[in-house]
Amino acid sequence: MERRWGITIPLQGLPLADQRELIAELPDLGYTDVWSAEANGADAFTPLALASAWAPELRLGTAIVPVYTRGPATLAMSAATLAAAAPGRFALGIGTSSNVIVQRWNGIPFEEPYKRVRDTLRFLRKALRGEKVTENYDTFQVQGFTAGVVADPPPPLLVAALRPGMLRLAGREADGAIINWLSVDDVRTVVPHVHEGGPDKEIVARIFVMPDTDAETARGVARRQIAAYMNVPVYRAFHEWLGREELKPMWQAWESGDRKAALTAIPDTVVDDLVVHGPAAHCRERIQQYMANGVTTPAIALMTQGDPAAAVRALGLK
């Protein structure tokens, strides 16, 4: 598999309309991919559409689009349009997202997440090939949908996965998995479940990075992010499965309503495991350790404050 080096867009700290020059520079810096996300900021498709024109050499990917917040046909249309605009350069990553995004923010019941991902994946396989789909899935029904835009080739499909059931689904029925918020050593626990579906599956990892940031500042920023994520039920269950007992005091403080105590309860060791920080050369080496343990495509997610240009350039491979 081709060696890849990706980064998450849009880049924080710079208006989207002002990112053209920096994104156009990415291939010269050694980046091969840009990966988008979708929560409460930019949608997943618009930044990639811009990047497809600004830097036509780059591969584009969503990591991820929630399976609940767009109807199946609308999701297929969005994916097919971008895949047709950038033939052979787009990968569609889908996932459950979280109860916060799906239910609290969008008013959609967060029910049967495994089945919803599985059903959406099966629907997309047919729809993105241009097949007419009439199917009663467990979590939704589609009656007579045929995509009016069909990309050649259809985009590969990746599944965001945390625990064994979804990881095995990603390996069995998708083209790979997207993993998130885990340490270098955790990769060895996670990846074998995907590889039950075949050794050639792509493993995309969103890796949070703060290059050239002093440890105190980096840990302060990282603690806030860890607390925000690890108290969401799906991420708490993931780290409980990984055996991260050091987070128990944080969970207990959070449940009691003491947010300040929850932050201080997160050990430095956990912060340093989950967020890469330090000199840029050290950060690059750390990302490469993820790859040595089974990640095929790192999707660097910068957590630095202010203009991201220096950090983007510092982490490039060229």
Side-chain angles (χ1 to χ4, degrees):
M1 188 174 291
E2 182 182 350
R3 183 176 178 83
R4 314 211 66 85
W5 195 256
I7 194 165
T8 300
I9 63 169
L11 301 161
Q12 300 304 308
L14 190 64
L16 180 57
D18 296 338
Q19 296 187 23
R20 178 172 188 159
E21 290 185 6
L22 188 53
I23 289 176
E25 189 181 346
L26 292 177
D28 292 334
L29 295 171
Y31 293 95
T32 62
D33 293 42
V34 287
W35 290 82
S36 65
E38 188 168 286
N40 64 341
D43 73 276
F45 292 101
T46 303
L48 297 181
L50 291 170
S52 74
W54 292 344
E57 307 95 322
L58 292 172
R59 184 183 184 223
L60 318 165
T62 60
I64 53 92
V65 178
V67 294
Y68 292 94
T69 51
R70 288 177 179 80
T74 303
L75 177 55
M77 287 188 293
S78 297
T81 302
L82 189 49
R89 295 194 292 118
F90 172 61
L92 178 64
I94 60 171
T96 64
S97 187
S98 71
N99 65 311
V100 173
I101 293 169
V102 174
Q103 192 157 310
R104 295 187 194 174
W105 296 354
N106 286 284
I108 300 168
F110 189 70
E111 297 172 348
E112 299 189 284
Y114 175 87
K115 288 184 178 180
R116 181 72 181 213
V117 171
R118 181 202 63 195
D119 294 347
T120 303
L121 180 62
R122 292 174 179 176
F123 163 75
L124 288 170
R125 277 285 185 216
K126 293 182 177 181
L128 292 173
R129 291 196 297 258
E131 297 178 22
K132 184 175 181 178
V133 182
T134 296
E135 192 79 41
N136 291 321
Y137 299 98
D138 286 347
T139 57
F140 58 83
Q141 295 77 43
V142 177
Q143 302 299 322
F145 174 76
T146 304
V149 174
V150 179
D152 183 19
L157 301 176
L158 306 170
V159 167
L162 298 174
R163 290 180 289 161
M166 202 74 82
L167 291 163
R168 293 188 185 112
L169 175 67
R172 185 174 64 249
E173 298 196 32
D175 299 296
I178 298 166
I179 56 179
N180 191 24
W181 277 115
L182 77 174
S183 73
V184 167
D185 291 337
D186 292 336
V187 174
R188 289 178 172 159
T189 300
V190 165
V191 167
H193 296 287
V194 183
H195 284 169
E196 289 180 18
D200 60 342
K201 299 295 179 175
E202 184 169 12
I203 308 291
V204 179
R206 174 158 281 115
I207 303 170
F208 296 92
V209 187
M210 280 184 282
D212 299 324
T213 305
D214 68 90
E216 183 178 357
T217 299
R219 288 171 180 156
V221 173
R223 275 191 173 85
R224 291 192 291 274
Q225 291 295 315
I226 290 169
Y229 272 89
M230 300 311 154
N231 286 288
V232 174
V234 292
Y235 283 103
R236 174 170 176 169
F238 176 45
H239 283 270
E240 287 175 333
W241 171 66
L242 289 171
R244 193 152 274 118
E245 298 288 325
E246 311 97 298
L247 286 177
K248 278 187 175 180
M250 185 269 287
W251 288 323
Q252 291 167 353
W254 191 272
E255 288 171 349
S256 73
D258 192 339
R259 301 296 191 254
K260 184 176 180 180
L263 285 174
T264 58
I266 303 170
D268 285 351
T269 53
V270 171
V271 176
D272 296 347
D273 276 348
L274 300 181
V275 176
V276 177
H277 60 89
H282 165 77
C283 292
R284 288 194 302 271
E285 291 172 3
R286 191 73 171 159
I287 295 165
Q288 288 166 343
Q289 289 172 3
Y290 277 87
M291 299 175 76
N293 284 358
V295 169
T296 60
T297 307
I300 295 165
L302 290 175
M303 296 175 67
T304 48
Q305 309 297 302
D307 189 334
V312 170
R313 292 173 180 137
L315 292 174
L317 292 181
K318 293 183 181 177

